[in-house]
Protein backbone atom coordinates (compact mmCIF):
# COMPACT_ATOMS: atom_id res chain seq x y z
CA UNK A 1 0.00 0.00 0.00
CA UNK A 2 1.48 3.38 -1.08
CA UNK A 3 1.28 6.42 1.19
CA UNK A 4 1.88 10.13 0.86
CA UNK A 5 3.82 11.93 3.56
CA UNK A 6 2.43 15.44 3.99
CA UNK A 7 4.52 17.87 6.01
CA UNK A 8 2.41 20.65 7.51
CA UNK A 9 4.06 23.87 8.66
CA UNK A 10 1.98 25.73 11.24
CA UNK A 11 2.73 29.37 12.02
CA UNK A 12 0.74 30.18 15.13
CA UNK A 13 1.06 32.11 18.40
CA UNK A 14 3.05 30.02 20.85
CA UNK A 15 0.10 29.60 23.22
CA UNK A 16 -2.03 28.20 20.36
CA UNK A 17 0.53 25.94 18.68
CA UNK A 18 -0.55 22.70 20.37
CA UNK A 19 -4.25 23.45 19.79
CA UNK A 20 -3.46 24.18 16.13
CA UNK A 21 -1.69 20.82 15.78
CA UNK A 22 -4.60 18.95 17.38
CA UNK A 23 -7.24 20.73 15.31
CA UNK A 24 -5.33 20.25 12.07
CA UNK A 25 -4.91 16.52 12.80
CA UNK A 26 -8.64 16.12 13.26
CA UNK A 27 -9.52 18.13 10.17
CA UNK A 28 -6.98 16.30 8.01
CA UNK A 29 -8.66 13.05 9.02
CA UNK A 30 -11.61 14.22 6.93
CA UNK A 31 -9.28 14.25 3.89
CA UNK A 32 -8.25 10.63 4.41
CA UNK A 33 -5.27 10.96 6.75
CA UNK A 34 -4.72 8.06 9.12
CA UNK A 35 -1.81 8.91 11.38
CA UNK A 36 0.30 11.88 12.42
CA UNK A 37 3.48 12.79 14.20
CA UNK A 38 4.39 16.17 15.63
CA UNK A 39 7.42 18.03 14.32
CA UNK A 40 9.23 21.24 15.27
CA UNK A 41 7.36 23.05 12.46
CA UNK A 42 3.91 21.47 12.95
CA UNK A 43 2.87 17.93 12.07
CA UNK A 44 3.53 15.28 9.44
CA UNK A 45 0.55 13.25 8.26
CA UNK A 46 0.29 9.99 6.34
CA UNK A 47 -2.48 9.18 3.88
CA UNK A 48 -3.05 6.38 1.39
CA UNK A 49 -2.40 7.73 -2.08
CA UNK A 50 -5.69 6.32 -3.35
CA UNK A 51 -7.65 8.13 -0.61
CA UNK A 52 -5.88 11.50 -0.64
CA UNK A 53 -8.27 14.38 -1.42
CA UNK A 54 -6.09 17.45 -1.96
CA UNK A 55 -8.99 19.75 -2.81
CA UNK A 56 -10.80 18.87 0.40
CA UNK A 57 -7.61 19.35 2.41
CA UNK A 58 -7.10 22.81 0.92
CA UNK A 59 -10.72 23.70 1.66
CA UNK A 60 -10.40 22.57 5.28
CA UNK A 61 -7.26 24.64 5.75
CA UNK A 62 -9.10 27.66 4.34
CA UNK A 63 -11.77 27.08 7.01
CA UNK A 64 -9.25 26.61 9.84
CA UNK A 65 -10.91 27.98 12.99
CA UNK A 66 -7.85 29.73 14.51
CA UNK A 67 -7.57 33.00 12.58
CA UNK A 68 -4.04 33.75 13.82
CA UNK A 69 -2.66 30.51 12.39
CA UNK A 70 -1.15 30.08 8.92
CA UNK A 71 -0.79 26.57 7.50
CA UNK A 72 1.17 25.40 4.48
CA UNK A 73 1.95 21.86 3.39
CA UNK A 74 4.24 19.83 1.17
CA UNK A 75 3.26 16.45 -0.33
CA UNK A 76 5.75 13.69 -1.14
CA UNK A 77 5.70 9.91 -1.42
CA UNK A 78 6.24 8.27 1.95
CA UNK A 79 9.57 6.56 2.32
CA UNK A 80 9.38 2.80 1.91
CA UNK A 81 10.84 1.94 5.30
CA UNK A 82 10.45 -0.62 8.03
CA UNK A 83 7.70 0.90 10.19
CA UNK A 84 7.97 -1.94 12.69
CA UNK A 85 11.66 -1.19 13.25
CA UNK A 86 10.86 2.49 13.78
CA UNK A 87 8.15 1.58 16.29
CA UNK A 88 10.58 -0.69 18.15
CA UNK A 89 12.91 2.29 18.53
CA UNK A 90 10.29 4.90 19.50
CA UNK A 91 7.28 3.34 21.25
CA UNK A 92 5.54 5.36 23.99
CA UNK A 93 5.67 5.82 27.73
CA UNK A 94 3.08 3.99 29.91
CA UNK A 95 -0.36 5.64 30.12
CA UNK A 96 -2.47 5.31 33.28
CA UNK A 97 -6.22 5.96 33.21
CA UNK A 98 -8.16 6.58 36.44
CA UNK A 99 -5.45 4.75 38.39
CA UNK A 100 -7.04 1.50 37.18
CA UNK A 101 -6.02 0.94 33.58
CA UNK A 102 -2.45 0.70 32.26
CA UNK A 103 -1.61 0.99 28.56
CA UNK A 104 1.99 0.24 27.62
CA UNK A 105 4.16 -0.83 24.68
CA UNK A 106 6.09 -3.53 26.54
CA UNK A 107 9.45 -1.84 25.97
CA UNK A 108 9.32 1.51 27.75
CA UNK A 109 7.94 0.56 31.16
CA UNK A 110 10.30 2.56 33.39
CA UNK A 111 9.26 2.01 37.01
CA UNK A 112 5.68 1.06 36.08
CA UNK A 113 4.49 -2.31 37.39
CA UNK A 114 1.62 -4.09 35.63
CA UNK A 115 0.51 -5.82 38.84
CA UNK A 116 -0.37 -2.45 40.38
CA UNK A 117 -3.32 -1.97 38.00
CA UNK A 118 -6.68 -3.65 37.64
CA UNK A 119 -6.35 -3.87 33.87
CA UNK A 120 -3.46 -3.61 31.43
CA UNK A 121 -3.00 -3.64 27.66
CA UNK A 122 0.15 -3.97 25.61
CA UNK A 123 -0.03 -2.10 22.30
CA UNK A 124 2.24 -2.32 19.25
CA UNK A 125 0.88 0.68 17.36
CA UNK A 126 3.02 0.42 14.19
CA UNK A 127 1.25 2.71 11.68
CA UNK A 128 -2.21 2.57 13.26
CA UNK A 129 -3.92 5.19 15.40
CA UNK A 130 -4.62 4.49 19.05
CA UNK A 131 -2.07 4.08 21.81
CA UNK A 132 -4.04 5.87 24.49
CA UNK A 133 -1.94 9.03 24.23
CA UNK A 134 -4.78 11.02 22.67
CA UNK A 135 -7.50 12.61 24.78
CA UNK A 136 -10.29 10.92 22.84
CA UNK A 137 -8.93 7.42 23.40
CA UNK A 138 -8.35 8.09 27.09
CA UNK A 139 -11.88 9.43 27.56
CA UNK A 140 -13.45 6.35 25.97
CA UNK A 141 -11.36 3.94 28.04
CA UNK A 142 -12.26 5.93 31.16
CA UNK A 143 -15.93 5.75 30.18
CA UNK A 144 -15.76 1.99 29.71
CA UNK A 145 -14.56 1.70 33.31
CA UNK A 146 -17.95 3.08 34.40
CA UNK A 147 -19.85 0.11 32.94
CA UNK A 148 -20.23 -3.56 33.77
CA UNK A 149 -19.08 -5.20 30.54
CA UNK A 150 -19.43 -8.81 31.64
CA UNK A 151 -20.89 -10.87 28.80
CA UNK A 152 -21.45 -7.86 26.52
CA UNK A 153 -21.13 -7.87 22.73
CA UNK A 154 -19.12 -4.87 21.51
CA UNK A 155 -18.73 -3.03 18.19
CA UNK A 156 -15.65 -0.84 17.64
CA UNK A 157 -16.02 1.55 14.69
CA UNK A 158 -12.68 2.74 13.34
CA UNK A 159 -10.75 0.27 15.45
CA UNK A 160 -7.20 1.55 14.75
CA UNK A 161 -4.85 -0.50 16.92
CA UNK A 162 -7.80 -2.38 18.40
CA UNK A 163 -7.14 -0.75 21.77
CA UNK A 164 -10.79 -0.07 22.62
CA UNK A 165 -11.96 -3.55 21.64
CA UNK A 166 -9.15 -5.12 23.63
CA UNK A 167 -10.00 -2.90 26.61
CA UNK A 168 -13.60 -4.17 26.64
CA UNK A 169 -12.46 -7.77 26.38
CA UNK A 170 -10.05 -7.28 29.27
CA UNK A 171 -12.97 -5.89 31.27
CA UNK A 172 -15.10 -8.95 30.66
CA UNK A 173 -16.91 -8.40 27.36
CA UNK A 174 -17.87 -11.65 25.67
CA UNK A 175 -16.82 -10.62 22.15
CA UNK A 176 -15.82 -7.59 20.08
CA UNK A 177 -15.92 -6.78 16.39
CA UNK A 178 -13.83 -3.90 15.06
CA UNK A 179 -13.62 -2.46 11.58
CA UNK A 180 -11.37 0.07 9.88
CA UNK A 181 -10.83 1.43 6.37
CA UNK A 182 -7.06 0.96 6.69
CA UNK A 183 -5.42 -2.42 6.06
CA UNK A 184 -2.55 -1.49 8.41
CA UNK A 185 -5.04 -0.94 11.22
CA UNK A 186 -6.98 -4.15 10.59
CA UNK A 187 -3.80 -6.24 10.66
CA UNK A 188 -2.36 -4.32 13.61
CA UNK A 189 -5.57 -4.77 15.62
CA UNK A 190 -5.42 -8.53 15.04
CA UNK A 191 -1.78 -8.55 16.13
CA UNK A 192 -2.56 -6.64 19.32
CA UNK A 193 -5.42 -9.00 20.11
CA UNK A 194 -2.96 -11.89 19.89
CA UNK A 195 -0.35 -10.36 22.19
CA UNK A 196 -3.10 -9.55 24.71
CA UNK A 197 -4.49 -13.12 24.51
CA UNK A 198 -8.00 -12.07 23.43
CA UNK A 199 -7.78 -13.01 19.74
CA UNK A 200 -10.30 -15.83 20.22
CA UNK A 201 -12.96 -13.22 21.06
CA UNK A 202 -12.00 -10.45 18.62
CA UNK A 203 -12.79 -10.05 14.91
CA UNK A 204 -11.13 -7.32 12.82
CA UNK A 205 -12.79 -6.36 9.53
CA UNK A 206 -11.64 -4.19 6.62
CA UNK A 207 -14.16 -1.59 5.43
CA UNK A 208 -16.28 1.39 6.39
CA UNK A 209 -19.67 1.31 8.14
CA UNK A 210 -21.22 -0.48 5.15
CA UNK A 211 -19.39 -3.62 6.34
CA UNK A 212 -22.02 -3.82 9.09
CA UNK A 213 -24.51 -5.05 6.48
CA UNK A 214 -22.58 -8.31 6.60
CA UNK A 215 -22.49 -8.50 10.42
CA UNK A 216 -25.34 -10.37 12.06
CA UNK A 217 -27.05 -9.45 15.30
CA UNK A 218 -26.97 -6.40 17.55
CA UNK A 219 -24.51 -4.99 20.08
CA UNK A 220 -24.72 -3.97 23.72
CA UNK A 221 -21.88 -1.44 23.43
CA UNK A 222 -20.94 0.51 20.30
CA UNK A 223 -17.84 2.75 20.28
CA UNK A 224 -16.70 5.17 17.60
CA UNK A 225 -13.62 7.39 17.84
CA UNK A 226 -13.95 9.11 14.44
CA UNK A 227 -14.24 12.68 13.21
CA UNK A 228 -17.53 14.56 13.51
CA UNK A 229 -18.67 14.40 9.89
CA UNK A 230 -18.26 10.63 9.65
CA UNK A 231 -20.04 10.20 12.99
CA UNK A 232 -23.01 12.23 11.77
CA UNK A 233 -23.17 10.14 8.61
CA UNK A 234 -22.72 6.79 10.34
CA UNK A 235 -24.83 7.20 13.50
CA UNK A 236 -27.99 5.91 11.76
CA UNK A 237 -26.01 2.82 10.70
CA UNK A 238 -24.80 2.29 14.28
CA UNK A 239 -28.39 2.67 15.51
CA UNK A 240 -29.53 -0.19 13.28
CA UNK A 241 -27.13 -2.52 15.11
CA UNK A 242 -28.43 -1.52 18.56
CA UNK A 243 -31.50 -2.26 20.66
CA UNK A 244 -33.23 -0.55 23.57
CA UNK A 245 -30.72 -0.21 26.38
CA UNK A 246 -27.64 -0.40 24.14
CA UNK A 247 -24.91 2.17 24.82
CA UNK A 248 -23.17 4.29 22.18
CA UNK A 249 -19.86 5.97 23.13
CA UNK A 250 -18.63 8.65 20.73
CA UNK A 251 -15.44 10.69 20.57
CA UNK A 252 -13.05 12.11 17.99
CA UNK A 253 -14.72 15.54 17.85
CA UNK A 254 -14.43 18.88 19.60
CA UNK A 255 -16.53 19.96 22.55
CA UNK A 256 -18.12 22.60 20.31
CA UNK A 257 -19.49 19.81 18.08
CA UNK A 258 -21.54 18.27 20.90
CA UNK A 259 -24.84 20.12 20.17
CA UNK A 260 -24.79 18.91 16.56
CA UNK A 261 -24.22 15.31 17.65
CA UNK A 262 -26.85 15.40 20.40
CA UNK A 263 -29.40 16.71 17.90
CA UNK A 264 -28.66 13.73 15.64
CA UNK A 265 -28.89 11.40 18.65
CA UNK A 266 -32.35 12.74 19.52
CA UNK A 267 -33.52 12.08 15.95
CA UNK A 268 -32.37 8.48 16.40
CA UNK A 269 -34.20 8.03 19.75
CA UNK A 270 -31.04 8.18 21.84
CA UNK A 271 -30.51 10.08 25.09
CA UNK A 272 -27.30 11.61 26.41
CA UNK A 273 -26.38 9.99 29.74
CA UNK A 274 -22.85 11.41 30.10
CA UNK A 275 -20.67 14.07 28.54
CA UNK A 276 -16.92 14.54 28.93
CA UNK A 277 -14.33 17.07 27.83
CA UNK A 278 -10.54 16.97 27.80
CA UNK A 279 -8.44 19.77 26.37
CA UNK A 280 -11.24 20.83 24.03
CA UNK A 281 -12.03 17.31 22.80
CA UNK A 282 -15.48 15.86 23.53
CA UNK A 283 -16.96 12.49 24.42
CA UNK A 284 -20.65 11.55 24.49
CA UNK A 285 -22.31 8.54 26.06
CA UNK A 286 -25.76 7.77 24.65
CA UNK A 287 -28.48 5.34 25.64
CA UNK A 288 -30.90 3.85 23.09
CA UNK A 289 -34.53 4.47 24.03
CA UNK A 290 -37.52 2.31 23.17
CA UNK A 291 -39.19 3.47 19.97
Amino acid sequence: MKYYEVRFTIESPENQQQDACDILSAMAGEAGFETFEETAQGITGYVQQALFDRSLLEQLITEFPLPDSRITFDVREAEDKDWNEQWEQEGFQPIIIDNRFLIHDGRHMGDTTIADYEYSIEIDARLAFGTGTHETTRMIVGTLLDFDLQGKRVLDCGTGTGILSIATLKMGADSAIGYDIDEWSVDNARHNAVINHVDDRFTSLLGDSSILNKVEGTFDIVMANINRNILLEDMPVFRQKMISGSILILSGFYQTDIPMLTTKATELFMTVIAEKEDNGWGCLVLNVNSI
Side-chain angles (χ1 to χ4, degrees):
M1 185 183 302
K2 295 293 186 180
Y3 278 77
Y4 285 129
E5 177 182 288
V6 182
R7 300 181 182 182
F8 295 92
T9 299
I10 303 174
E11 299 177 24
S12 185
E14 185 175 352
N15 64 347
Q16 294 184 3
Q17 186 71 11
Q18 186 59 56
D19 288 340
C21 288
D22 291 341
I23 292 171
L24 179 59
S25 297
M27 295 180 74
E30 300 178 26
F33 284 77
E34 299 167 7
T35 191
F36 303 90
E37 56 188 12
E38 293 192 11
T39 67
Q41 293 75 37
I43 60 174
T44 297
Y46 297 90
V47 57
Q48 292 181 38
Q49 292 185 11
L51 298 179
F52 180 48
D53 189 334
R54 188 185 187 109
S55 296
L56 177 56
L57 179 62
E58 291 173 344
Q59 176 187 336
L60 292 169
I61 289 175
T62 300
E63 299 170 354
F64 198 72
L66 299 181
D68 294 331
S69 297
R70 179 176 179 269
I71 299 168
T72 56
F73 65 89
D74 174 61
V75 181
R76 63 190 68 189
E77 287 201 8
E79 180 185 353
D80 186 12
K81 59 184 176 181
D82 188 342
W83 293 101
N84 294 342
E85 180 181 354
Q86 179 178 337
W87 173 250
E88 289 285 341
Q89 295 172 354
E90 296 178 1
F92 64 94
Q93 295 303 310
I95 298 154
I96 300 166
I97 299 174
D98 294 349
N99 291 318
R100 297 175 62 192
F101 208 113
L102 171 67
I103 302 168
H104 64 94
D105 68 4
R107 293 174 293 280
H108 303 82
M109 295 295 291
D111 296 329
T112 307
T113 303
I114 292 174
D116 292 338
Y117 300 93
E118 188 176 354
Y119 307 104
S120 67
I121 294 178
E122 180 177 343
I123 292 293
D124 280 332
R126 299 182 178 177
L127 197 59
F129 173 82
T131 60
T133 58
H134 198 275
E135 292 89 342
T136 59
T137 309
R138 295 199 306 265
M139 282 191 288
I140 294 180
V141 173
T143 297
L144 291 170
L145 289 168
D146 296 333
F147 290 94
D148 179 4
L149 300 182
Q150 292 295 320
K152 302 299 185 183
R153 188 177 190 226
V154 175
L155 175 64
D156 181 8
C157 311
T159 192
T161 61
I163 185 172
L164 298 178
S165 288
I166 295 167
T168 64
L169 295 170
K170 290 274 188 162
M171 288 187 243
D174 185 64
S175 64
I177 294 177
Y179 69 83
D180 204 292
I181 60 171
D182 175 34
E183 290 182 25
W184 281 92
S185 294
V186 172
D187 291 341
N188 188 211
R190 290 175 182 146
H191 166 74
N192 285 320
V194 169
I195 65 176
N196 284 279
H197 310 293
V198 296
D199 51 301
D200 58 330
R201 294 181 287 144
F202 176 65
T203 303
S204 185
L205 303 174
L206 177 63
D208 57 19
S209 63
S210 64
I211 197 72
L212 296 178
N213 294 326
K214 300 178 182 179
V215 175
E216 296 183 357
T218 57
F219 296 87
D220 304 295
I221 304 287
V222 177
M223 310 172 292
N225 189 9
I226 316 174
N227 73 67
R228 180 201 67 195
N229 290 347
I230 294 179
L231 287 175
L232 290 170
E233 182 178 347
D234 287 353
M235 282 171 68
V237 183
F238 303 158
R239 178 62 182 83
Q240 292 174 5
K241 305 303 293 184
M242 304 168 74
I243 59 174
S244 178
S246 294
I247 298 296
L248 176 61
I249 305 172
L250 302 177
S251 196
F253 51 86
Y254 300 110
Q255 187 181 21
T256 53
D257 295 325
I258 287 177
M260 191 181 305
L261 291 160
T262 54
T263 297
K264 174 62 73 171
T266 300
E267 295 172 0
L268 297 170
F269 299 94
M270 290 187 281
T271 302
V272 176
I273 59 175
E275 182 179 317
K276 296 184 177 182
E277 184 271 339
D278 187 347
N279 196 29
W281 295 93
C283 178
L284 281 176
V285 186
L286 306 164
N287 181 70
V288 176
N289 303 316
S290 299
I291 299 177

